[in-house]
Amino acid sequence: MYLDNSVAQWDDKCIYLVVGNETASQVVRFLPDTLGRLTCPMPYTKENITYVAVMGNSHFSSGDWGPAQIKNANHYSAVSTDRLQSSITDGWEIKITDAANDSPITITHLDGDYAEKFTTEEKNNCYRLDDDLRQVTFIFSTARSRFVISPLNVKKVYAYGSISNWSQTNEDYVLAGYSDDCFYITLPYSNIEMTGNGGQPEFLFNVKHINGNSYVTQSWPTLEEGCAEHLVFCSNGWKQIIAFNDDDVANLLKRKETALYIRPLADFDLTSRVDQEKISNFRQVPGTKNLYRSYHPFHSSRSQYDTEYERLNWVGKLATETGIKCDIALSGDLTKEDGTSTYTVAGVKHTVTIPDYYREIIANDRVLYVGTGNGHTPSYDYALYFTDDARFSQWIQEIVRFVNDDNHPVPFQLHCHLGADRTGVFSGVLGAMCGASFDEVAADYNRTSDMQVSEYRHSNQLRYALSRITGFDPIILPSGENAVPTTYTATTLDEAKASHTAYTGGTALYTYPEVGTALPTLQQAIMDKYVNEGYLTQEEIDKCVAKLRGENPTGITTVGVEATAPSARKMMKDGQVVIVRNGVTYDMMGRRM
């Protein structure tokens, strides 16, 4: 349907109508679409409509209106009131006139150039991309074979998933248009930039529809017969993903295959260090010598798999072998589970037991339960999607100051529950801060998938998290031991795509700077975030970097910054001027000390 712009006078560019017949009626809010038209997601034809009533904002209730409620509501009127007149003509046109100012409002059936048309492929895949306008259109076909609800009984369809931070009823994602037997909404790429575990934007549909005299809300799978195989992904349930024009279809299919595979205990060679690290998710963080990441030391999260007991066992063994002295817990204090909670693996019941090395850490008061500083334990969504927020910056502040405490010896262990999302992002930030390249931290992020417990993780999630901190797609920032600042050129992006092993597409989700824009190193961009916003001093960061890298910061003081390389800092050490870059000390001749 279509309303001309004269409707703006009714309610700040929207109007509420009751549209329906004897079997179905709804309160409908008409809103502007991307073309400035006021549209309604109702598949009504002239024959379906037996009455139309108009209501102002003062009469509107945010509650659900079933057919009986609408008929009995005294502020509605079938067809007319003292001030409002409406009629349905043979040309399928509804005209509503306010007698006070004689300004007609016309609702017209969409056809011809006004109607949206979708190809069979678009309907099956549930979306359409427009790279020129940087827009995506979500499409929910009411003619689909799996859809068994009459479209006349549908009140709202929401798109949700990673794109909406998993909110199932975000009004920004309502498919408010209806055409070609489809509900649809067109959104800018900025509305879908948050990716799921597979490294792509993930989505489902949530349908609010009439069931008797009330409304029910039902999550509806996007998966439709004919949907392209590479657009279906499974990690904690089936979802549909969006693939962009620069995404590699073969790579997407490989991710899907990896995500579906669950590796049994018998397939691990636990005499091999490689498999010991895979099963426990325990390993050294890139760019550091004294920071290790892992699965939780004693809390069970995946007891449905026969690997769980050995997973926890090997976390303890590797941590003990490494000599872990301090712990950074991203998932709160779970020590109350010790000796009281149980978990069952392959029919055998086990009691949660804190390993000896961790008991010693607790006894020496060397555990940081991150979040005590701001009253919020790190969450999945904040770690992945809101790394530019003050709360995340405060968590980094806590960690750096905990590391810097002289009462906290190296090495450190960092974990959440699985050691996947929160651990992956915090490890990536700290590793890059210590001078690791983006490819190194991205490869490390992907290694969580090696547990093979249907918990696939792709580094595009870390890429997005780092972009929120730095303000740049990290693939265009110089990174690694020998990185120096540069400027953005017409070829920078193409060169980054060709040179980064971590690049697998998805540049459509990012905007890039103008040619000539200064590009800091990834390390410096992260440092600058926390220094410039007052969370940490450069001296605090330098001390943390030196400690995690295994360098002794004693006797080193900052005396200046190299003008030609802001990531390199002039220092005084034992009375000698030196350069410290990415945590490595050089003399004034450029020789490593």
Side-chain angles (χ1 to χ4, degrees):
M1 299 178 182
Y2 170 74
L3 279 77
D4 67 26
N5 288 331
S6 62
V7 76
Q9 63 181 302
W10 287 97
D11 183 16
D12 191 22
K13 297 187 178 179
C14 72
I15 189 171
Y16 300 101
L17 302 179
V18 181
V19 180
N21 52 34
E22 290 303 314
T23 60
S25 53
Q26 296 183 8
V27 176
V28 178
R29 188 184 185 197
F30 289 74
L31 295 168
D33 66 9
T34 55
L35 299 178
R37 303 171 313 202
L38 286 160
T39 62
C40 165
M42 286 296 102
Y44 288 112
T45 65
K46 175 190 172 185
E47 289 72 24
N48 292 129
I49 297 178
T50 56
Y51 65 84
V52 177
V54 183
M55 57 190 293
N57 195 37
S58 61
H59 296 298
F60 182 68
S61 168
S62 60
D64 293 333
W65 292 85
Q69 292 170 296
I70 291 176
K71 291 174 185 176
N72 296 332
N74 58 20
H75 54 266
Y76 292 111
S77 147
V79 181
S80 66
T81 69
D82 292 340
R83 295 185 59 195
L84 301 175
Q85 302 291 326
S86 63
S87 62
I88 303 176
T89 68
D90 290 338
W92 178 200
E93 180 178 83
I94 303 172
K95 287 190 176 181
I96 305 171
T97 302
D98 182 342
N101 56 28
D102 198 30
S103 298
I105 302 168
T106 303
I107 308 174
T108 310
H109 180 64
L110 279 175
D111 56 14
D113 293 338
Y114 287 115
E116 293 282 359
K117 299 294 183 183
F118 305 105
T119 67
T120 299
E121 180 182 16
E122 290 169 345
K123 291 180 180 181
N124 288 340
N125 293 341
C126 301
Y127 72 88
R128 175 173 70 194
L129 296 178
D130 187 331
D131 279 348
D132 292 333
L133 295 178
R134 293 181 54 79
Q135 292 180 336
V136 58
T137 299
F138 288 102
I139 304 163
F140 187 84
S141 172
T142 58
R144 56 180 20 211
S145 60
R146 300 186 185 188
F147 191 63
V148 295
I149 302 170
S150 166
L152 292 177
N153 288 339
V154 174
K155 180 179 182 180
K156 281 185 179 179
V157 179
Y158 299 86
Y160 79 97
S162 69
I163 58 171
S164 63
N165 191 22
W166 299 102
S167 169
Q168 296 189 25
T169 55
N170 187 324
E171 294 297 319
D172 292 338
Y173 294 85
V174 174
L175 278 65
Y178 190 88
S179 183
D180 198 17
D181 296 323
C182 296
F183 292 92
Y184 68 94
I185 185 175
T186 299
L187 296 169
Y189 281 171
S190 58
N191 280 52
I192 60 167
E193 61 189 9
M194 296 187 290
T195 62
N197 291 345
Q200 305 294 128
E202 297 177 356
F203 70 98
L204 299 146
F205 291 123
N206 202 27
V207 182
K208 193 169 190 177
H209 60 90
I210 295 173
N211 182 16
N213 282 336
S214 62
Y215 284 105
V216 296
T217 302
Q218 180 178 1
S219 181
W220 212 276
T222 49
L223 313 179
E224 178 63 18
E225 295 176 10
C227 177
E229 183 181 358
H230 67 282
L231 298 180
V232 180
F233 188 79
C234 182
S235 180
N236 290 322
W238 289 99
K239 296 121 185 165
Q240 194 153 334
I241 64 173
I242 295 174
F244 297 92
N245 294 328
D246 63 343
D247 286 321
D248 181 7
V249 171
N251 183 277
L252 295 176
L253 288 172
K254 184 178 179 180
R255 295 184 213 174
K256 177 181 176 180
E257 179 183 359
T258 303
L260 288 171
Y261 182 67
I262 298 172
R263 187 178 183 183
L265 180 60
D267 285 357
F268 283 91
D269 176 8
L270 295 180
T271 65
S272 159
R273 175 72 183 209
V274 172
D275 274 5
Q276 291 168 6
E277 290 190 356
K278 284 183 178 181
I279 199 171
S280 62
N281 212 13
F282 185 100
R283 56 189 177 274
Q284 190 175 55
V285 173
T288 77
K289 179 182 177 182
N290 292 319
L291 180 62
Y292 293 79
R293 55 174 293 180
S294 73
Y295 197 80
H296 198 282
F298 56 86
H299 173 74
S300 172
S301 293
R302 292 295 179 269
S303 60
Q304 67 267 42
Y305 304 119
D306 70 352
T307 48
E308 185 72 354
Y309 178 78
E310 286 299 331
R311 185 173 357 272
L312 291 166
N313 183 36
W314 278 101
V315 172
K317 285 184 176 181
L318 294 178
T320 301
E321 177 186 311
T322 304
I324 296 296
K325 295 293 190 295
C326 296
D327 184 68
I328 302 169
L330 300 170
S331 51
D333 182 359
L334 300 177
T335 54
K336 64 182 180 181
E337 294 183 1
D338 183 40
T340 60
S341 296
T342 62
Y343 61 98
T344 301
V345 179
V348 178
K349 181 180 286 188
H350 302 275
T351 300
V352 172
T353 304
I354 296 177
D356 290 342
Y357 88 94
Y358 203 85
R359 291 185 188 279
E360 183 177 349
I361 291 174
I362 294 171
N364 289 315
D365 194 23
R366 293 173 180 167
V367 182
L368 170 65
Y369 298 110
V370 179
T372 57
N374 59 19
H376 299 277
T377 299
S379 59
Y380 171 97
D381 56 343
Y382 259 85
L384 290 175
Y385 304 139
F386 304 109
T387 48
D388 56 339
D389 187 84
R391 189 178 298 177
F392 187 89
S393 298
Q394 289 164 1
W395 292 327
I396 292 293
Q397 179 190 69
E398 279 190 75
I399 292 172
V400 168
R401 290 177 177 171
F402 178 79
V403 169
N404 286 349
D405 190 325
D406 292 337
N407 293 317
H408 299 153
V410 298
F412 295 84
Q413 184 175 8
L414 174 70
H415 64 84
C416 49
H417 285 165
L418 301 178
D421 308 295
R422 290 168 288 185
T423 302
V425 172
F426 279 92
S427 294
V429 172
L430 294 169
M433 185 186 291
C434 287
S437 70
F438 175 67
D439 281 347
E440 289 172 327
V441 295
D444 181 67
Y445 191 91
N446 289 337
R447 285 181 64 185
T448 287
S449 302
D450 291 342
M451 283 196 296
Q452 293 181 305
V453 289
S454 192
E455 289 292 345
Y456 184 86
R457 298 295 186 273
H458 191 273
S459 60
N460 276 346
Q461 292 180 297
L462 176 63
R463 178 182 175 187
Y464 178 72
L466 290 174
S467 76
R468 296 290 293 252
I469 294 173
T470 65
F472 298 97
D473 179 355
I475 71 168
I476 67 171
L477 298 180
S479 61
E481 287 290 336
N482 300 311
V484 294
T486 185
T487 57
Y488 189 79
T489 70
T491 61
T492 296
L493 181 57
D494 288 337
E495 291 168 356
K497 290 179 180 180
S499 63
H500 278 288
T501 57
Y503 171 73
T504 57
T507 53
L509 290 176
Y510 295 89
T511 56
Y512 294 92
E514 295 181 359
V515 170
T517 299
L519 297 179
T521 65
L522 176 60
Q523 180 190 40
Q524 192 63 44
I526 293 172
M527 291 178 173
D528 287 347
K529 162 75 173 178
Y530 303 117
V531 172
N532 294 342
E533 295 184 9
Y535 293 100
L536 295 163
T537 65
Q538 186 63 53
E539 288 72 21
E540 286 179 302
I541 293 177
D542 288 341
K543 182 177 180 179
C544 178
V545 168
K547 193 169 182 178
L548 293 180
R549 287 179 63 93
E551 299 161 353
N552 184 2
T554 304
I556 300 180
T557 57
T558 301
V559 297
V561 179
E562 278 290 298
T564 56
S567 63
R569 315 192 74 79
K570 277 188 179 180
M571 320 288 266
M572 286 295 297
K573 181 177 182 181
D574 299 329
Q576 178 184 358
V577 178
V578 297
I579 299 294
V580 177
R581 184 175 63 204
N582 296 335
V584 180
T585 305
Y586 303 84
D587 65 18
M588 294 304 290
M589 299 298 292
R591 295 171 297 205
R592 186 166 180 161
M593 299 178 66

